[in-house]
Amino acid sequence: MTLRDRFVDARQHVQDALDAVSRIKKSEDRVVVKYRSKNQQLNFMCDAEALVGYGTLLDLCSEHTIVIGFPGSAMLECLLNDIRFFPFWDYRLHQQNRYFCMDAVQRLIDTVHVARSGGELYDNLVHQRVYKPGRSKTQLLHQNGIQLHRIVDEILTLNNKINT
Amino acid sequence: MASFEINYDNIRDVDRYLHIDDPDKYDAEIESVTEKLWDGMDEFQELLHPFFTTYLQSNLLRPLYIHHLALQQLQAEYKNIDIAASTIILDIVAKSLDIRLLPERGFHDEEFFLVRNYHFSMSDSLYRRRWKGMLIFFRDIYTELACRFRQVDVLHIDGGKLDKDLSRIPRAMSAFRVPRRKSKRLDCDVNAISDQVRKNISSMDVSIPHECILELVEKGVLRYLPDVMNRIGTLTEFIEKHDVKLVIASSVTHEDHLCLLAAARLSGIKSLIVPHGFSLAGNPFLDRYIDYQATLTSIERCYEGTEQYPLKASWFEREV
């Protein structure tokens, strides 16, 4: 939240996403709004079918699903599973909030198309634009990732050597 | 001029009445309040700097500013405003602007994410229920005994989704199992720290009345400060007593996790932060506060002064 991004603006953002979807959806398509919690649902109430759950997004998806949302964990989960995810977030409204790291935001928008408005979202949906040219899901996660227990082992071994 | 009532049906619409020319000015002011909150604390300034700051600026101060400025504009349009549905913030603003608070009004703080649950809070409802208190008492005794026979190298807190990854670490224990008790490890005067915070706020150049910010900080921050300092103390004692070598936190904004990082700092052991999801947000006051950071992607924020590790998290191994 910033003074440019009030509650009413955030709610309008949800409605803008639904409007963009209604312009491209076919009659047989099912549109679901998935909320993380009941309180989130209360705050962003809309007319579409609603489901509430934490960490359950992938259970709702198949290879035909299109997901629209904030570029967070859900985006990574979907894109890594080849589910088309269209990030929708007006990051310009958050430039004055130190909580958001604008360097990280820049790296994100260098990698994927982040729609800032309903119009941009509609364009991305129609043209199926997810990744920026030359980018793919291989840029999303570290390719040389190490499991947590191995990282811990490395740190402890290193510090043990320093201390002895 | 007609009357206006804020009730449950329109409480989410109040900020619609905010019309300001220079929103960035207020945002900069809010950032400045959080930046200077812990100034003048001597040795505790650095330790406390990451605490409550992101929660304060995002969840508390911004809604306070938005509601104060919006209700001021509503007052110019309506002679009488009644509040029949409220939050901690609406109440503060109403008192400041002399707006009528109906005695039977309902409170909806949880719906607006204005309530934070802290595991370290000694006065939480869990402790107030006798049978749960007894269970915790026996669990604490068990933990104490178990730690006498088993080395604990790593203390960690799972912010979510990391249970599998954390369970693979040998000689590790959740910091939530470290008993909550009174600690004398930190030699600090919490009242003096609170007074300094009040002094800091009172001397700031702000656009809304100081009293509003002071009351909000009192209810959202200072109320928890004794428990925060105590928890840092108990965790530090545990780390020193059991020769813990590393702590792992998985949230950079929640005080349960920050207490663990602060305890590591005080006891001079290493700290590692791991993400429990992908986030573009962070805690700007953790630069040079932690030793290691694991990230999922090269997109995430990297904290200054940390050695970086690329993480392969098991929750991404899940497939459709």
Side-chain angles (χ1 to χ4, degrees), chain A residues 122-156:
Chain A
Y122 173 74
D123 282 347
N124 289 346
L125 289 167
V126 167
H127 298 107
Q128 293 290 294
R129 279 196 296 247
V130 175
Y131 295 102
K132 288 284 174 76
R135 302 298 171 118
S136 67
K137 72 175 182 181
T138 53
Q139 274 87 38
L140 286 177
L141 277 195
H142 291 304
Q143 295 305 298
N144 56 345
I146 311 168
Q147 289 170 313
L148 182 58
H149 64 284
R150 297 198 190 285
I151 294 175
V152 170
D153 186 49
E154 205 175 308
I155 291 171
L156 292 179

Side-chain angles (χ1 to χ4, degrees), chain B residues 118-120 139-140 143 155-159 173-180 231 235 254 256-257:
Chain B
Y118 295 115
H119 184 269
F120 56 68
R139 192 195 62 186
D140 289 352
T143 303
L155 271 185
H156 56 69
I157 298 185
D158 183 3
M173 189 181 101
S174 168
F176 285 147
R177 285 182 55 198
V178 173
R180 295 189 281 185
R231 188 57 179 164
L235 288 168
H254 196 284
D256 277 330
H257 297 249

